[in-house]
Amino acid sequence: MPQKLMVVIPCYHEEEVLGETSRRLLLKMQSLMEKGLCSTESRVLLVDDGSKDRTWEIIQRLHQENPLFEGLKLSRNRGHQNALLAGLMTARKHCDFTISMDADLQDDMDAMDRFIEEYQQGCDVVYGVRNKRDSDTFFKRQTALGFYRLMKALGVDITFNHADYRLMSRRALDGLAQFHEVNLFLRGLAPLVGFRSGYVYYDRNERFAGESKYPLKKMLAFAVDGITSFSVKPLRLITMLGFVIFMISLVMLLYTLVSFIVGHTVTGWTSTLASIWMIGGIQLLSLGVIGEYIGKIYHESKRRPRFIIDTYANAEDAPPVKDE
Ligand code: UDP
Ligand code: MG
């Protein structure tokens, strides 16, 4: 028996692409249903992440024209990860498995067939992995590579070149629901959920229309979030650095005492100044890193909701789910 699929798509200011995206999705869903890869009850859940343009109107219209499309409107802009989580947590109550992807048609829809084949063979999580990054700028490619390497060095288990194009079974989503962190980095959480996982390789295209909603500033914040949410190694490095500097200071102490006894006390302006600046810099940097973690604790301890749902437009008009 084919199972019910829900494709979850976060949308923020996507009025330019939604028309084409929905047109292609409709064809894709029909073909999946015909092949028996998903049930005829399957749906596409478009999550409007508090857009100020016509995104929600378009979603509503799509829903009225065809019940295949459902809409979920968040009360305000909460960012890609939260919007995706809101969609997944809503979908898990209504389907057997989900596939998450971006609205901009960068992820190749034809890979979905292979996702579902992996699922049918018993995988609870299937990661979509990009073959190559030709469509990205040189800068984005290099920074992404650097980020993955850094994550790996810090001991975080993430899949190289996997963004958020991913299949998750209801079991895996129920697992994900048990992670209550406010600092969300879903691609890092999925491996922590566990279960059998598979990989599907695909080519990533260019954004169909509109601009990237991830400018450099957001990208950096996302990277810092990813690291500090999954690794305390930076804190350990600071401890090690402190230890090394302490060792050096012992040598310096010896050196200054000997200099004092020998009578060379006037010289040393350069070394004094250099060490003040260096130690000062290292201390500030270390405090900053520690502060990052304290900031995280601060956010987590408040346990604010990660998303609030305004409207859920679906066929049965079920009440919206809460963020538990
Ligand atoms: N997005 C969102 N909320 C935001 C920013 C982005 O829901 O605050 C959505 C956006 O509509 C898209 C996906 O997240 O479907 C990925 O964004 P984008 O394609 O701009 O990122 P990029 O591919 O450039 O990394
Ligand atoms: Mg994109």
Side-chain angles (χ1 to χ4, degrees), residues 155-288:
V156 188
D157 175 23
I158 54 168
T159 307
F160 185 62
N161 266 348
H162 162 67
D164 281 302
Y165 191 19
R166 181 173 53 234
L167 179 148
M168 289 183 92
S169 69
R170 187 161 58 198
R171 214 154 64 116
L173 291 170
D174 288 344
L176 182 66
Q178 292 175 47
F179 288 78
H180 297 289
E181 51 210 89
V182 181
N183 297 283
L184 266 190
F185 192 69
L186 289 171
R187 69 191 70 169
L189 282 180
L192 295 185
V193 171
F195 296 121
R196 205 175 122 189
S197 51
Y199 301 88
V200 164
Y201 295 85
Y202 71 99
D203 292 329
R204 190 156 156 110
N205 308 316
E206 274 177 47
R207 191 172 236 286
F208 178 72
E211 273 170 17
S212 169
K213 311 298 182 283
Y214 269 102
L216 183 63
K217 211 173 117 198
K218 263 202 204 172
M219 226 162 73
L220 281 177
F222 189 53
V224 171
D225 232 26
I227 293 167
T228 50
S229 289
F230 288 88
S231 171
V232 287
K233 266 205 183 156
L235 292 177
R236 212 159 293 151
L237 287 177
I238 289 176
T239 315
M240 271 155 62
L241 188 69
F243 183 73
V244 171
I245 291 177
F246 176 65
M247 285 300 162
I248 295 173
S249 78
L250 286 183
V251 176
M252 286 305 282
L253 183 72
L254 206 69
Y255 166 71
T256 46
L257 282 179
V258 171
S259 300
F260 179 71
I261 293 160
V262 180
H264 292 290
T265 34
V266 198
T267 48
W269 179 81
T270 320
S271 57
T272 313
L273 217 63
S275 38
I276 287 175
W277 279 98
M278 225 183 95
I279 300 288
I282 293 174
Q283 275 181 341
L284 278 183
L285 183 75
S286 306
L287 276 177

Side-chain angles (χ1 to χ4, degrees), residues 9-14 17 47-51 77-81 83-84 101-106 130 136 140 187 204 207 211-215 218-219:
I9 305 181
C11 311
Y12 181 58
H13 292 173
E14 299 287 10
V17 296
V47 184
D48 173 25
D49 185 15
S51 309
N77 180 241
R78 291 294 288 122
H80 175 206
Q81 297 288 296
L84 183 54
M101 59 189 229
D102 290 351
D104 57 7
L105 298 170
Q106 279 194 289
R130 282 180 235 178
D136 283 339
K140 187 147 185 169
R187 69 191 70 169
R204 190 156 156 110
R207 191 172 236 286
E211 273 170 17
S212 169
K213 311 298 182 283
Y214 269 102
K218 263 202 204 172
M219 226 162 73

